[in-house]
Amino acid sequence: MEPALGHASEGSYVAQETINNTKDQQVIIIGGGVCGLAIGWELAEAGKTVTILERGRCGQEATHAAAGMLAAAAECEPGEEQLLQLTRWAQQLWPGYLDRLETSSGQRPDYRDEGTLVVALSRDEVERLRFRHEFQSSLGLPLRWLEAAELRQREPHLRQSAAAAIFSAEDHQVDNRQLAESLKQAYLNAGGSLREECEVEALDCSDPARKRISLGNGDILETKTVVLAAGAWSRGLPGLPEEAMPPVRPLKGQSLALQMVPHSPLLEHVLWTEQIYCVPRLDGRLIIGATVEERGFDDSITAGGIYALIEGARRALPGIEDLPLIECWSGFRPGCRDDAPVLGETAVPGLHLATGHHRNGILLAPVTGHCIAQEILTGALPEAARPFTLARFKPLSARRKKSHLQYQ
Ligand code: GLY
């Protein structure tokens, strides 16, 4: 287990819109989602000159589309035991991270700690849920099996036939959109520079000591240290050297939000069924997600996608029929074939990756910020992140060489 993160120092508000090309110590981060912002905040607080380049507005795309579940346990599947170390560590950091964020930004994103219920809605589903419970409990996760009566006591609006559930008390949720706002503010308060609506047209690493970043407005920036945190778009950056290319692809998710009456909500825990998840917010929004679709960057909202979500949610919570539908959206998870993130310096010295977070971008933002900042500040990637470098996708012979060079 890694040590807890340190506390924030106070930062002054700096609204810089220019980039100092001459400072060799400058770190340039490509991508202003929660991970890019979290890295930038750590580095700016540590006294680094940091610039985030964001082609749209900060906190859009996957950050905006997420549901904010901090679900290390409920989302854990066979084969993800190593990832679990990272996600559980992240989970433990969250309460302290929010305190730090509030101190630094003056804002505290909504956080709910009622926990998560993974339910079986019929007798048929109980056996599959038992299997899941046995597997996840065997990993030492703090889960509890609930029979129907206790489940109904916790969530009285669930469909009457709901037969059993796994209760995960430590799987909480945060409002991801508020989180992005707070991180941006904390980053600016710590002295970070931000360029929004700023397209990166090309990266030139032919001289790794002076990487050149060409921007859409004709500016060219030069620096030694670049972090690529562009989510599902990270692979497509023109000029990115082959040996630094993360194998990420977009995994489309469609979601929607219904409006509950905040003082009389239909649901209080995060709820998973075999089809969907429901995430109740403090302001009464009920987020229902999400499809998982291999459709490249097609961001359309489809009748089939929305139908499947509503049907799946209605099966669990018949009362949603009366709720207003207030929003539908889609986004792209950055997915690798092992569903784990890609973290750390690449074979191109000074070029770091923080992408591939798949379903866990919000959960992993604090550890991503900490680990990449530590690697840049100290030259060593924290141990918990070492299984997740790009080197894991290379042949064994190349991996041996890489780990020898990087960690000895
Ligand atoms: N973590 C939720 C999702 O990817 O849909």
Side-chain angles (χ1 to χ4, degrees):
M1 186 66 48
E2 298 284 337
L5 303 187
H7 284 275
S9 58
E10 278 187 1
S12 58
Y13 181 83
V14 180
Q16 285 173 274
E17 282 297 332
T18 56
I19 292 180
N20 184 346
N21 284 352
T22 60
K23 284 188 185 159
D24 215 27
Q25 296 306 310
Q26 176 171 232
V27 178
I28 295 180
I29 299 171
I30 302 173
V34 282
C35 289
L37 289 167
I39 297 163
W41 178 36
E42 300 292 344
L43 288 169
E45 283 215 327
K48 282 278 184 192
T49 304
V50 189
T51 297
I52 293 179
L53 306 176
E54 166 53 52
R55 66 175 187 163
R57 309 294 295 181
C58 281
Q60 295 303 301
E61 303 300 353
T63 292
H64 190 79
M69 291 178 290
L70 309 176
E75 296 211 35
C76 179
E77 294 186 352
E80 294 184 352
E81 291 80 355
Q82 203 163 39
L83 179 61
L84 186 64
Q85 313 265 325
L86 198 68
T87 54
R88 286 288 283 161
W89 176 36
Q91 222 172 26
Q92 286 162 21
L93 291 178
W94 264 97
Y97 196 72
L98 288 171
D99 291 344
R100 252 186 90 196
L101 201 50
E102 188 172 13
T103 305
S104 296
S105 70
Q107 305 166 7
R108 190 176 182 91
D110 286 344
Y111 180 87
R112 295 192 68 167
D113 64 0
E114 289 88 343
T116 294
L117 292 167
V118 184
V119 297
L121 291 174
S122 67
R123 285 277 146 208
D124 285 353
E125 292 182 11
V126 172
E127 277 322 298
R128 290 192 286 273
L129 193 68
R130 273 199 201 285
F131 177 78
R132 185 181 179 129
H133 184 233
E134 273 162 30
F135 163 69
Q136 292 177 337
S137 298
S138 75
L139 301 175
L141 292 168
L143 304 169
R144 201 154 69 75
W145 184 263
L146 303 186
E147 296 296 346
E150 195 180 347
L151 174 58
R152 256 194 295 281
Q153 228 171 22
R154 282 183 175 270
E155 290 294 358
H157 298 287
L158 272 180
R159 167 185 164 160
Q160 283 303 300
S161 63
I166 301 170
F167 173 53
S168 178
E170 294 181 14
D171 282 351
H172 300 164
Q173 57 141 316
V174 67
D175 185 315
N176 41 292
R177 297 179 184 178
Q178 293 176 6
L179 171 69
E181 283 301 314
S182 314
L183 277 170
K184 176 175 163 180
Q185 197 56 53
Y187 170 70
L188 291 172
N189 288 355
S193 238
L194 177 60
R195 279 192 168 191
E196 295 183 306
E197 312 290 350
C198 174
E199 188 89 40
V200 173
E201 289 205 328
L203 174 69
D204 178 353
C205 297
S206 47
D207 176 358
R210 290 176 75 80
K211 297 176 188 68
R212 286 162 65 88
I213 298 176
S214 308
L215 303 182
N217 68 357
D219 284 359
I220 294 182
L221 313 177
E222 288 188 348
T223 191
K224 202 167 84 182
T225 310
V226 173
V227 180
L228 181 53
W233 288 266
S234 298
R235 187 181 171 78
L237 183 67
L240 184 66
E242 180 97 22
E243 66 270 31
M245 215 172 254
V248 289
R249 69 192 194 287
L251 271 170
K252 178 179 173 181
Q254 300 184 54
S255 299
L256 60 88
L258 305 175
Q259 184 63 50
M260 302 185 292
V261 180
H263 61 264
S264 157
L266 270 187
L267 185 72
E268 300 205 37
H269 301 76
V270 172
L271 183 83
W272 282 76
T273 73
E274 288 192 355
Q275 286 87 36
I276 47 98
Y277 54 75
C278 300
V279 184
R281 295 286 201 233
L282 288 175
D283 63 6
R285 278 180 309 139
L286 180 64
I287 293 168
I288 298 171
T291 63
V292 181
E293 302 170 65
E294 299 267 8
R295 294 201 185 269
F297 286 104
D298 165 9
D299 64 356
S300 54
I301 310 286
T302 63
I306 297 305
Y307 174 78
L309 296 175
I310 292 181
E311 179 56 21
R314 184 172 155 273
R315 207 176 144 246
L317 290 167
I320 66 158
E321 280 190 10
D322 299 324
L323 302 180
L325 171 62
I326 55 172
E327 192 185 348
C328 297
W329 65 92
S330 67
F332 300 107
R333 308 170 183 90
C336 291
R337 60 176 183 262
D338 62 0
D339 295 344
V342 188
L343 302 173
E345 195 171 16
T346 64
V348 178
L351 178 56
H352 303 253
L353 296 176
T355 184
H357 291 77
H358 191 230
R359 305 181 74 99
N360 292 311
I362 305 299
L363 170 63
L364 291 176
V367 291
T368 301
H370 172 71
C371 290
I372 302 300
Q374 282 302 303
E375 185 180 46
I376 290 169
L377 293 168
T378 68
L381 187 66
E383 184 145 354
R386 289 184 195 175
F388 303 103
T389 65
L390 185 59
R392 76 182 187 274
F393 295 108
K394 299 205 160 50
L396 192 58
S397 52
R399 280 210 302 271
R400 281 206 190 104
K401 197 167 159 214
K402 171 81 181 161
S403 66
H404 172 79
L405 289 175
Q406 202 168 354
Y407 299 124
Q408 274 210 347

